[in-house]
């Protein structure tokens, strides 16, 4: 049985959910960003107990199909930008369509209507936040960061970076105070990433 969980956006979130499942004696077939697959059918009382436990961690079980799709889109983007080292051979719209097996225009319209921002802006926000993280590590130069984040050029990364943060990537690297945002706040209208 697949269950969809809102706000489950990082590997530490996955570990917290896995620990709670274990405490409740539930056996997960798989645990991914935003979803878990548990063995068999979960009785309503057990599902309610799981829901209460997850809420203590800031997670929420979702039943609404539109909300589930929004979380799938967000988690697919987060996984690709923050956790994947795969070389992108497709643009993000084609990648999302293939991964979620849905028409991109349909997803984009629903996302904009539901989230108050476009998928493109959500992706850019996450790419810039990931660039900030990579700049702080100082393991990669700006050209390597641009390539890792699937930018066509350093200039393209620099322009988007400066537009969102007000400083260039090299300027950000030199700053003593570097503001970063938690993954779950990036791209949300209520918590703008800066």
């Amino acid at each position: 049985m697949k269950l969809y969980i809102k706000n489950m956006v990082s590997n530490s979130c996955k570990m917290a959910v896995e620990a709670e499942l274990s405490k409740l004696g539930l056996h997960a077939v798989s645990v991914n960003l935003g979803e878990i697959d548990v063995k068999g059918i979960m009785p309503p009382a057990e599902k309610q107990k799981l829901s209460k436990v997850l809420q203590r961690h800031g997670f929420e079980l979702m039943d609404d199909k539109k909300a589930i799709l929004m979380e799938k889109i967000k988690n697919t983007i987060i996984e690709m930008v923050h956790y994947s080292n795969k070389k992108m051979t497709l643009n993000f719209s084609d990648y999302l369509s293939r991964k979620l097996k849905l028409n991109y225009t349909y997803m984009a319209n629903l996302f904009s209507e539901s989230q108050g921002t476009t998928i493109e802006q959500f992706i850019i926000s996450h790419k810039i936040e990931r660039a900030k993280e990579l700049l702080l590590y100082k393991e990669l130069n700006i050209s390597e960061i641009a390539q890792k984040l699937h930018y066509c050029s350093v200039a393209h990364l620099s322009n988007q970076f400066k537009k969102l943060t007000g400083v260039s990537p090299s300027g950000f690297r030199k700053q003593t105070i570097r503001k970063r945002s938690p993954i779950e706040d990036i791209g949300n209208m209520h918590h703008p990433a800066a």
Side-chain angles (χ1 to χ4, degrees):
M1 171 181 207
K2 278 201 190 278
L3 299 171
Y4 298 94
I5 303 171
K6 186 174 183 174
N7 300 325
M8 188 178 165
V9 295
S10 68
N11 287 330
S12 58
C13 292
K14 283 173 48 176
M15 291 183 341
V17 169
E18 286 172 338
E20 291 302 333
L21 288 171
S22 180
K23 286 179 193 174
L24 293 172
L26 298 171
H27 302 287
V29 175
S30 66
V31 178
N32 297 302
L33 293 181
E35 71 180 48
I36 56 175
D37 193 359
V38 292
K39 286 185 179 179
I41 304 221
M42 185 178 285
E46 220 172 88
K47 193 173 177 183
Q48 188 174 13
K49 188 189 291 186
L50 175 62
S51 180
K52 284 182 181 177
V53 168
L54 292 175
Q55 284 176 355
R56 282 188 241 135
H57 291 280
F59 305 124
E60 181 183 328
L61 276 180
M62 296 184 303
D63 290 325
D64 176 71
K65 290 184 191 291
K66 188 171 160 183
I68 290 169
L69 177 57
M70 292 306 99
E71 286 301 302
K72 282 183 177 182
I73 292 169
K74 288 177 181 180
N75 287 328
T76 300
I77 292 167
I78 289 167
E79 192 172 298
M80 188 65 212
V81 173
H82 294 275
Y83 301 111
S84 178
N85 288 320
K86 292 180 189 174
K87 176 132 175 86
M88 281 289 281
T89 55
L90 301 169
N91 62 33
F92 271 103
S93 59
D94 291 336
Y95 178 78
L96 279 171
S97 291
R98 286 188 184 180
K99 178 93 173 167
L100 299 178
K101 297 174 180 68
L102 290 169
N103 176 282
Y104 180 77
T105 303
Y106 168 75
M107 289 187 292
N109 290 336
L110 202 59
F111 192 89
S112 294
E113 174 189 308
S114 170
Q115 304 299 308
T117 188
T118 65
I119 289 177
E120 182 182 2
Q121 280 307 122
F122 189 80
I123 291 168
I124 291 168
S125 297
H126 277 274
K127 287 171 77 172
I128 297 306
E129 195 61 34
R130 180 70 171 133
K132 288 180 188 178
E133 180 181 9
L134 295 170
L135 287 164
L136 291 175
Y137 293 159
K138 297 182 180 179
E139 294 174 357
L140 302 174
N141 64 39
I142 296 170
S143 178
E144 292 167 326
I145 292 171
Q147 186 177 20
K148 182 175 183 67
L149 295 176
H150 313 292
Y151 281 96
C152 58
S153 68
V154 172
H156 188 207
L157 166 62
S158 294
N159 288 337
Q160 282 188 348
F161 195 96
K162 188 164 187 169
K163 188 176 180 181
L164 260 66
T165 66
V167 295
S168 68
S170 55
F172 178 82
R173 189 173 254 172
K174 291 175 187 172
Q175 288 178 340
T176 55
I177 299 173
R178 300 174 187 112
K179 186 176 181 218
R180 293 202 40 233
S181 300
I183 287 178
E184 59 272 12
D185 290 349
I186 301 168
N188 290 336
M189 292 305 291
H190 305 296
H191 304 286

